[in-house]
């Protein structure tokens, strides 16, 4: 199963939790907001299998729910909340 990620920069509070959990996947831009490194936050590059647990930790540890994970690419679009 492939897993994809994107960061909702509108809700990110730059707490640093994702970068601590998965530094290979998440970094911070000039404003201090997180982004998904492998494809500059487009959400189209699958996470390598060896980093999927780190991505899940980042997702679960994000206090604002800004780290999004899905089984399909995001195409640069942040999913609407239910």
């Amino acid at each position: 199963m492939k897993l994809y990620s994107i960061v909702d920069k509108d809700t990110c509070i730059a707490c640093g939790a994702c970068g601590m959990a998965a530094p290979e996947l998440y970094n911070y831009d000039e404003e201090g907001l997180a982004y998904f490194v492998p494809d500059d936050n487009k959400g189209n590059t699958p996470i390598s299998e060896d980093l999927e647990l780190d991505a899940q930790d980042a997702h679960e540890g994000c206090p604002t729910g800004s780290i999004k994970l899905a089984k399909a690419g995001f195409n640069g679009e942040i999913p609407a909340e239910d």
Side-chain angles (χ1 to χ4, degrees), residues 3 25 45-53:
L3 191 62
L25 298 174
T45 300
I47 297 168
S48 64
E49 196 171 308
D50 62 316
L51 294 175
E52 286 182 0
L53 288 177

Side-chain angles (χ1 to χ4, degrees), residues 2-6 43-47 68-74:
K2 292 189 185 292
L3 191 62
Y4 298 83
S5 184
I6 197 168
N44 295 325
T45 300
I47 297 168
K68 309 297 184 185
L69 295 177
K71 294 177 185 175
F74 290 94

Side-chain angles (χ1 to χ4, degrees), residues 24-62:
E24 301 90 351
L25 298 174
Y26 304 99
N27 203 343
Y28 306 94
D29 65 15
E30 62 280 347
E31 296 176 20
L33 301 176
Y35 69 94
F36 182 62
V37 172
D39 62 11
D40 199 30
N41 212 47
K42 303 290 184 260
N44 295 325
T45 300
I47 297 168
S48 64
E49 196 171 308
D50 62 316
L51 294 175
E52 286 182 0
L53 288 177
D54 290 347
Q56 188 67 37
D57 287 345
H59 171 73
E60 292 172 2
C62 181

Side-chain angles (χ1 to χ4, degrees), residues 12-24:
C12 177
I13 59 171
C15 70
C18 60
M20 295 281 289
E24 301 90 351

